[in-house]
Amino acid sequence: MGGTVTVTDGKLTAAAVLPVVMRGRLAVVAVLASLVVLLLGVRYAGDSGPGRTDARIGEAAYGVGAPWWHLAHATDFLGDPGGALLLLTAGVVGCLRARRTRAAVLLLAGPGLAVGVTRLLKPLAARTINGDDNLAFPSGHTAFLTAFALALALLAAGRSGLGPTSGTVLALAAASAAGALMGWAQVATGAHYPTDTVGGCCTALAVVPAVAWAVDRVADARHPHDG
């Protein structure tokens, strides 16, 4: 996860975790993702059962047999505290060994804040599954894995010097793949409705670019001539 010196707002800085060429496009993605979370939250607020789309998808995905059941549970573990800690530790250690402090901060703060936002939104949406005590929307597990994959993709795009289109495609592809995998696992194990996982994925798409931008701004302000 090495990086090169870049120019940000006319200043020589260490490699940005949010590549400058991708900022505009990811800002649009973040706004659209926020709208999706808002609309789904309003649509399913207070519900205690699946919508029509949820029911159709859930019927196909829920209760899969071996080996898919084991894969679903293994994927679910990655969103649990133990699994998340393993992923974050590996990522942060790799960044620090490469002397990428900004990258390490993003890998911690991006997924962490994405999950934090889902916890704030759940009581507001008040959608439940498997009992009144289990708040469902949006999915924190899906938000975490999506955010982690998106952060890694941003770092990879910056290191590779990808352009705005290719970099954005990489970021969205990685985030979508991770979100789809964890979303499937959540539905297959009966932990969430499909629309909960969409909300979790979109929460990550809204939060991580903002966190990456903030990390760069704070780092540049503290070390304006770093690099």
Side-chain angles (χ1 to χ4, degrees), residues 106-127:
L106 175 62
L107 282 182
L108 283 175
L113 287 177
V115 172
V117 170
T118 66
R119 292 184 177 179
L120 291 175
L121 293 177
K122 282 183 177 181
L124 296 178
R127 189 187 197 189

Side-chain angles (χ1 to χ4, degrees), residues 17 19 24 35-36 43 49 60 66 73 89 94 124 141 146 190 207 210 215 222:
V17 291
L35 290 176
V36 171
R43 167 63 180 83
H73 275 277
T89 300
L124 296 178
H141 277 60
T146 303
V207 170
V215 169
R222 294 182 61 185

Side-chain angles (χ1 to χ4, degrees), residues 1 86-101 103-109 148 152:
M1 295 182 184
L86 288 176
L87 288 179
L88 292 174
T89 300
V92 169
V93 168
C95 291
L96 294 179
R97 286 177 61 88
R99 299 182 180 179
R100 292 288 310 278
T101 305
V105 172
L106 175 62
L107 282 182
L108 283 175
F148 185 76
L152 288 179

